[in-house]
Amino acid sequence: MNVKKFFLIFGLILLAALAAFAGVVVGLISSKPFAMGDHGNALAEVGADGVVNFLLVGKDHVGANTDVIMVISLNPQTEKISILSVPRDTRISLNGSRKINSVYSYAEYRGMRKEEALIDTVSEVTRLPIHYYAIINLRAFRDVVDELGGVDYYVERPYHYDDPFQDLHIHIDPGQQTLNGAQAEGLIRYRHDYAMGDIERVGVQQNFIMAFLQQKLQMKYVSKIPEVYEKVTDNVISNLKVSDVLTYAKAVMGYQTETFLLPGMAGDGSGYWIQDDAETDRLIQEKF
C-alpha cells in the first residue's frame, strides 16, 4: 500500500471514530436530566390527544420570586403553540391571599415542596394540567440567548433603568437590532415606567418569546440544544431531559404561535390582578 493511500484510509477511519465518539457524547448529554425539583404528584400524564403543557417560570438571581410565569401548550392536532401568561400579581389563596409570584418563595420558607406548590397553583389558576416544567434563573435565560446568537427584535422605545441591588442595568435604544442575552433579560424584566405595570411587561415578554420561537425553531439552532444544556444546566430546575427538548422542538417546527393573558382586571388599589373565572373558563375551552 502506498503512503498516500495509507493516509487516506487512516484519515477516513479517524473521521469515522470521531463521528462515532461525537454521537456517543451527544447521546449521553441528551439523556441527561436537568436538576429536578420536588414536584410531588403535581404533574399530569400526557393524554391521548397528545397536547403537552409546559410551565415556564423565570426567577431572578437575587430573590426567589417568580416574576415570569407562562404555560406553553403544544397541540399536534391544530399545529399551534398557545402561550398563556399569568401576571405576577395574580391573587391566589395559599394560607391567605397572596400574589402568585410569591408562591415559590413562600413554600420554601414554610418547608413545603416549592415546585409542587407552584405547579398546583398555576394549574388551578389556568385550569390546565402541567406535564413538564422549567424554572429558569434569568442568568440561564441570558446564556441561552447568547448561545443561539441573539434575537432580532424591533425595540419600540428606549429602555433605561439601573437597580444596583439586583445588579440590573438596562440600557437599550429603540430600533431594529439583535439583542444579546443581557439586553433580552433587561427587556423582559423592565417595568419601571409602564402605565399598566406588569400587564404591559407581560405583552413585551410575549412579543419577545414569539420572536425567539419564530427565529430559533430551526434545525440549525435545535441541533445546538445539547451545547446549550451544558451552559445552563446549573441554573435550571426541570423534569425535562435534553432529549425531550430536542423531540418537542423538532416536532413543533412550523407551528403557529398565539399568545393570551390570563383574563382579569387590576384590583381596586390592592396591587392584585383579580382573575375573571368565567372568562378564563371560556378562553381555555376555546383556545386550549
Side-chain angles (χ1 to χ4, degrees):
M1 179 183 298
N2 62 39
V3 174
K4 184 176 180 180
K5 189 172 183 181
F6 169 79
F7 279 111
L8 176 61
I9 294 173
F10 178 77
L12 290 172
I13 292 172
L14 180 60
L15 284 173
L18 287 173
F21 175 73
V24 170
V25 170
V26 171
L28 288 173
I29 291 174
S30 295
S31 66
K32 286 183 179 180
F34 292 94
M36 189 179 296
D38 193 353
H39 52 261
N41 297 315
L43 295 175
E45 295 289 332
V46 178
D49 58 6
V51 175
V52 182
N53 299 323
F54 296 82
L55 171 59
L56 178 64
V57 174
K59 181 175 75 70
D60 70 49
H61 38 264
V62 176
N65 285 346
T66 54
D67 286 345
V68 180
I69 303 174
M70 297 179 175
V71 178
I72 302 176
S73 184
L74 312 181
N75 190 327
Q77 299 175 29
T78 62
E79 296 191 349
K80 286 184 177 180
I81 301 172
S82 299
I83 301 174
L84 177 61
S85 290
V86 179
R88 68 191 290 277
D89 297 330
T90 299
R91 186 176 65 186
I92 58 94
S93 178
L94 179 64
N95 292 336
S97 293
R98 65 187 70 254
K99 296 179 179 181
I100 197 169
N101 77 321
S102 69
V103 169
Y104 195 70
S105 58
Y106 175 79
E108 182 177 38
Y109 172 74
R110 294 296 298 267
M112 302 162 62
R113 292 172 171 167
K114 54 187 178 181
E115 288 81 21
E116 181 179 38
L118 180 59
I119 294 166
D120 279 341
T121 301
V122 173
S123 185
E124 181 179 353
V125 166
T126 64
R127 283 68 159 160
L128 292 170
I130 304 299
H131 307 108
Y132 295 98
Y133 69 97
I135 299 170
I136 301 175
N137 183 310
L138 287 173
R139 289 193 189 279
F141 170 81
R142 183 187 300 188
D143 288 341
V144 169
V145 172
D146 283 338
E147 192 69 22
L148 297 180
V151 176
D152 294 333
Y153 190 83
Y154 181 77
V155 180
E156 294 186 353
R157 47 153 290 177
Y159 290 86
H160 295 288
Y161 178 71
D162 290 284
D163 183 345
F165 176 73
Q166 296 189 70
D167 191 24
L168 179 62
H169 305 281
I170 304 171
H171 296 285
I172 312 170
D173 293 323
Q176 184 68 40
Q177 56 197 286
T178 300
L179 299 179
N180 62 28
Q183 291 170 318
E185 179 188 354
L187 180 76
I188 68 167
R189 293 182 68 183
Y190 186 95
R191 68 167 187 162
H192 173 60
D193 58 358
Y194 285 157
M196 296 182 64
D198 190 57
I199 301 307
E200 197 166 341
R201 179 169 67 166
V202 164
V204 174
Q205 290 171 352
Q206 290 182 334
N207 289 338
F208 180 84
I209 291 296
M210 286 186 67
F212 179 88
L213 293 176
Q214 288 167 1
Q215 294 171 38
K216 304 307 176 182
L217 280 179
Q218 301 178 36
M219 187 53 67
K220 66 178 179 178
Y221 295 115
V222 171
S223 63
K224 294 188 69 174
I225 286 174
E227 299 170 39
V228 174
Y229 168 85
E230 293 295 334
K231 272 273 193 181
V232 306
T233 181
D234 292 337
N235 288 305
V236 176
I237 297 172
S238 178
N239 66 320
L240 287 159
K241 297 190 294 292
V242 178
S243 55
D244 297 322
V245 181
L246 283 165
T247 297
Y248 287 115
K250 290 176 182 177
V252 300
M253 287 183 186
Y255 278 27
Q256 292 183 330
T257 303
E258 296 180 301
T259 60
F260 305 94
L261 176 70
L262 184 75
M265 62 182 296
D268 51 353
S270 65
Y272 287 118
W273 180 255
I274 309 300
Q275 181 177 5
D276 185 321
D277 290 325
E279 279 300 303
T280 300
D281 292 335
R282 184 191 62 78
L283 173 65
I284 298 304
Q285 185 67 31
E286 291 181 3
K287 299 295 184 179
F288 290 82

